[in-house]
């Protein structure tokens, strides 16, 4: 398909090509139809709320492409999603990859490339042509509430190498990859969904840590970079200015200093760090002025429409020169053509041809990444011929970016499949623990215990009372800092089906864990 020249497009169509809009439910809403036709929005984003099954997503993608191309110039949509793996996986049918921190624990760039290829092939089969990953943030702050296991780890070189490899694999399947969150969201203790974090390191430190993975990915040819709503006063001179709307960051640093000529994509413009500071419509105008090409407005139809109108008004009033719009649209069209967007028909048959590969690669990642951080008493393997007691605490989303699927029953089911006779005890406090005999086998699955004193008390109590005990750190490896003397600890980094299945095999002794912690845990000495 040959796409039209920018000169052939009217202003409304050009501005529409800059917007990536979300919607509610598994079918096109009337608001979405209006955004794609009357407002000419040229791109969409899927969240878990839009996804039921591979067949449904393939049909949805076909329908949206038809709506968009029949409404005006035949320009196909970027269909985007945050399919990072682990706790940010928009699909929920068993093929989602483990978290990036699990890949980091395995430290294998070839495996990262395989993950990118498998995810890219599966997404392409259901009509998703733009994956908003890899996460290139260096997670060196254990109190970070939004990145954590979404990152490959705390070593800039490792993060850059694995991120570049994952992007290469994804792009080899015709799906755009997008490194995020530039210039770095790893060393923050606030979540930009809720407020404006500040990273106030000097330029030497930023070059060595935060910027290094982005430079590596850019040099390797990544298609897109996503901005972050974090303040970098060393670059901007203003500790209240989000990087997304800073020309010093997006044009001066990213374009001119780092030499990036791909797509610059904003993070969600309805996040509080933008919405509360300047409002989403004004934020979109400022992001275009700063040098961004694609604007994510993901949730509210009225805000989406106001934002499109605000950018059009800014051009018509002379605030934004139309050449800035043309530059962004040329880049959007270039990448739609380069990656063959809209040229393949999504289908269930195509998905079925990719799903086995996704599952197998997921198991390879889990086997390489799951970490037996300590096993002083050689508790592992547990005896499958005896009952295994599993104690589980409830989970929940640590950030609005995450999907909320964790339940202790997921762990119990995986251990049952691994050959154990499991008795599950779901509790919310340490005082609710059953009374176990010293010779019983007990596993306690922690979930964000770093912020939960009850889970910490439960681990300490069981480790003292039971000989065959292990703490299974299901999500956040920083939990280990809260019980640094525990006798046996296993870190899984996520609760995807692949990860929990392999965990069951490791605890049963049928597979050996080989991962190493990719982050430093204060006060905890790993013994693997």
């Amino acid at each position: 398909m040959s796409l039209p020249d920018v000169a052939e497009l009217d202003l409304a169509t050009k501005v529409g090509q800059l917007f990536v809009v979300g919607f509610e439910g598994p079918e096109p809403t009337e608001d979405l139809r209006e955004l794609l036709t009357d407002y000419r929005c040229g791109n969409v984003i899927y969240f878990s709320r839009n996804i039921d099954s591979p067949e449904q997503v393939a049909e949805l993608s076909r329908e949206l492409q038809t709506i968009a191309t029949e409404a005006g110039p035949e320009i196909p949509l970027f269909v985007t999603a945050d399919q990072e793996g682990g706790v940010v996986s928009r699909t929920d049918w068993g093929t989602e990859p483990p978290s990036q921190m699990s890949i980091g624990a395995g430290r294998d760039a070839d495996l990262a490339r395989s993950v990118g290829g498998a995810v890219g092939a599966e997404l392409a089969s259901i009509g998703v042509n733009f994956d908003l990953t890899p996460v290139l943030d260096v997670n060196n702050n254990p109190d970070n509430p939004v990145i954590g296991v979404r990152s490959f780890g705390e070593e800039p070189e490792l993060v850059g190498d694995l991120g570049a490899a994952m992007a290469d694999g994804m792009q080899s399947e015709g799906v755009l990859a997008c490194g995020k969150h530039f210039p770095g969201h790893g060393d923050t203790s606030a979540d930009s969904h809720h407020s404006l974090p500040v990273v106030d390191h000097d330029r030497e430190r930023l070059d060595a840590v935060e910027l290094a993975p982005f430079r590596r990915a850019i040099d390797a040819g990544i298609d897109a970079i996503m901005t972050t709503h974090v303040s970098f006063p060393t670059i901007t001179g203003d500790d209240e200015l989000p990087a997304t709307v800073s020309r010093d960051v997006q044009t001066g640093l990213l374009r001119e200093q780092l030499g990036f000529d791909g797509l610059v994509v904003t993070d969600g413009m309805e996040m509080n760090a933008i919405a509360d500071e300047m409002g989403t419509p004004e934020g979109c105008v400022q992001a275009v002025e700063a040098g961004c090409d694609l604007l994510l407005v993901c949730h509210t139809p009225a805000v989406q429409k106001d934002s499109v109108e605000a950018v059009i008004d800014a051009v018509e009033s002379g605030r934004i020169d139309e050449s800035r719009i043309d530059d962004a649209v040329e880049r959007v069209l270039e990448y739609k053509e380069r990656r063959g967007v809209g040229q393949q028909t999504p289908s269930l048959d195509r998905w079925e041809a990719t799903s086995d590969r996704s599952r197998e690669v997921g198991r390879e990642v889990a086997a390489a990444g799951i970490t037996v951080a300590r096993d002083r008493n050689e508790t592992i393997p547990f005896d499958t011929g005896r009952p295994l007691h599993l104690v589980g605490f409830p989970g929940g989303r640590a950030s609005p970016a995450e999907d909320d699927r964790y339940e202790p029953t997921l762990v119990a089911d995986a251990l049952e499949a691994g050959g154990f006779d499991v008795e599950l005890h779901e509790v919310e406090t340490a005082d609710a623990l059953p009374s176990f005999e010293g010779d019983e086998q007990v596993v306690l699955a922690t979930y964000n215990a770093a912020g939960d004193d009850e889970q910490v008390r439960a681990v300490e109590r069981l480790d003292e009372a039971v000989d065959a005990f292990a703490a299974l750190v299901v999500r956040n490896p920083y939990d280990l800092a809260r019980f640094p003397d525990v006798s046996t600890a296993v870190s899984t980094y996520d609760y995807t089906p692949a990860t929990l299945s392999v965990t069951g095999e490791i605890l049963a002794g049928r597979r050996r864990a080989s991962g190493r912690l990719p982050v430093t845990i204060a006060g905890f000495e790993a013994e693997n």
Side-chain angles (χ1 to χ4, degrees):
M1 177 188 296
S2 180
L3 300 183
D5 292 331
V6 173
E8 301 172 12
L9 305 177
D10 61 24
L11 178 61
T13 300
K14 290 190 290 189
V15 170
Q17 283 296 309
L18 309 187
F19 279 85
V20 183
V21 294
F23 58 102
E24 292 292 331
E27 298 178 351
T29 62
E30 287 306 311
D31 283 312
L32 179 62
R33 291 177 185 274
E34 184 180 6
L35 286 164
L36 296 181
T37 56
D38 296 354
Y39 286 80
R40 316 282 181 85
C41 291
N43 315 283
V44 297
I45 183 168
Y46 291 164
F47 290 92
S48 299
R49 67 194 184 211
N50 307 120
I51 292 175
D52 285 341
S53 69
E55 185 174 21
Q56 170 264 327
V57 177
E59 173 57 32
L60 176 62
S61 299
R62 288 196 299 269
E63 184 174 3
L64 294 181
Q65 293 289 8
T66 298
I67 292 170
T69 54
E70 288 183 351
E74 291 191 16
I75 304 174
L77 302 167
F78 278 141
V79 180
T80 72
D82 296 282
Q83 187 72 352
E84 299 173 10
V87 300
V88 181
S89 297
R90 301 315 186 202
T91 63
D92 185 27
W93 46 65
T95 60
E96 55 271 25
S99 69
Q100 288 190 190
M101 192 166 283
S102 184
I103 300 172
R107 301 170 185 267
D108 185 339
D110 288 337
L111 187 52
R113 186 173 291 104
S114 294
V115 173
V119 171
E122 184 177 0
L123 291 179
S125 75
I126 55 175
V128 178
N129 49 47
F130 198 149
D131 193 0
L132 302 175
T133 202
V135 175
L136 297 176
D137 301 309
V138 178
N139 200 84
N140 47 20
N141 187 333
D143 296 324
N144 193 315
V146 63
I147 303 301
V149 294
R150 298 169 64 193
S151 165
F152 292 108
E154 68 181 12
E155 302 168 27
E157 184 175 0
L158 179 70
V159 173
D161 287 347
L162 296 180
M166 177 182 280
D168 179 59
M170 192 169 295
Q171 291 170 184
S172 73
E173 296 291 342
V175 172
L176 285 83
C178 180
K180 60 189 184 185
H181 306 80
F182 184 82
H185 204 325
D187 193 8
T188 65
S189 56
D191 182 348
S192 53
H193 289 86
H194 302 303
S195 61
L196 178 65
V198 178
V199 173
D200 59 1
H201 297 302
D202 62 28
R203 182 57 191 267
E204 182 178 3
R205 151 63 194 249
L206 293 176
D207 280 331
V209 179
E210 279 75 12
L211 298 179
F214 291 97
R215 186 179 290 109
R216 173 73 176 86
I218 290 167
D219 290 345
I222 196 167
D223 286 338
I225 296 291
M226 178 181 283
T227 71
T228 185
H229 308 325
V230 174
S231 170
F232 286 79
T234 295
I235 301 171
T236 66
D238 185 346
D239 62 7
E240 296 183 355
L241 184 67
T244 294
V245 297
S246 167
R247 184 171 175 81
D248 287 334
V249 174
Q250 306 310 334
T251 297
L253 176 59
L254 182 55
R255 293 282 191 216
E256 296 172 358
Q257 296 179 36
L258 298 187
F260 181 62
D261 195 36
L263 292 163
V264 179
V265 186
T266 73
D267 206 345
M269 297 299 285
E270 290 180 85
M271 293 164 60
N272 287 357
I274 294 292
D276 289 352
E277 294 292 321
M278 62 198 67
T280 297
E282 172 62 19
C284 287
V285 172
Q286 292 189 27
V288 173
E289 291 177 315
C292 297
D293 303 310
L294 288 170
L295 311 167
L296 268 64
V297 189
C298 304
H299 303 294
T300 312
V303 174
Q304 293 165 334
K305 296 168 187 177
D306 287 347
S307 297
V308 174
E309 291 171 351
V311 175
I312 292 174
D313 289 346
V315 177
E316 291 180 337
S317 70
R319 176 178 172 180
I320 296 177
D321 194 288
E322 193 164 350
S323 64
R324 167 79 268 273
I325 304 297
D326 291 347
D327 176 66
V329 176
E330 284 175 358
R331 197 172 283 111
V332 169
L333 297 182
E334 174 191 345
Y335 277 87
K336 287 186 175 182
E337 195 150 21
R338 179 183 297 187
R339 295 296 173 206
V341 170
Q343 294 183 19
Q344 294 188 2
T345 302
S347 70
L348 182 61
D349 288 344
R350 286 186 61 203
W351 175 80
E352 289 174 343
T354 68
S355 59
D356 287 346
R357 175 186 175 191
S358 294
R359 290 187 178 92
E360 182 56 36
V361 170
R363 288 179 58 82
E364 290 176 17
V365 172
I370 294 171
T371 305
V372 178
R374 180 181 294 156
D375 189 14
R376 285 178 179 164
N377 302 327
E378 298 184 352
T379 300
I380 299 171
F382 287 92
D383 185 354
T384 56
R386 299 169 54 209
L388 179 67
H389 294 275
L390 173 66
V391 177
F393 281 77
R397 296 198 300 177
S399 163
E402 298 181 9
D403 297 288
D404 187 9
R405 300 191 181 111
Y406 176 74
E407 296 178 359
T409 53
L410 297 175
V411 183
D413 291 345
L415 296 182
E416 289 272 9
F420 289 102
D421 177 14
V422 178
E423 184 172 346
L424 174 61
H425 310 273
E426 296 190 63
V427 301
E428 295 186 10
T429 67
D431 290 340
L433 287 172
S435 178
F436 296 112
E437 299 295 330
D439 61 352
E440 291 186 282
Q441 301 185 121
V442 182
V443 171
L444 191 154
T446 70
Y447 190 94
N448 287 344
D452 185 352
D453 291 342
E454 292 300 321
Q455 293 187 57
V456 175
R457 288 176 56 214
V459 169
E460 293 172 343
R461 187 175 298 179
L462 290 174
D463 195 31
E464 182 176 347
V466 179
D467 292 335
F469 170 76
L472 183 65
V473 180
V474 170
R475 184 188 179 282
N476 186 354
Y478 295 108
D479 288 1
L480 295 168
R482 296 296 310 278
F483 34 86
D485 297 322
V486 67
S487 57
T488 300
V490 180
S491 183
T492 70
Y493 310 102
D494 63 73
Y495 47 86
T496 57
T499 292
L500 293 182
S501 174
V502 173
T503 298
E505 295 173 7
I506 290 170
L507 295 185
R510 294 200 302 276
R511 189 188 287 265
R512 188 172 182 274
S514 59
R516 291 185 292 131
L517 289 170
V519 291
T520 300
I521 309 298
F524 182 88
E525 293 186 13
E527 298 177 8
N528 66 335

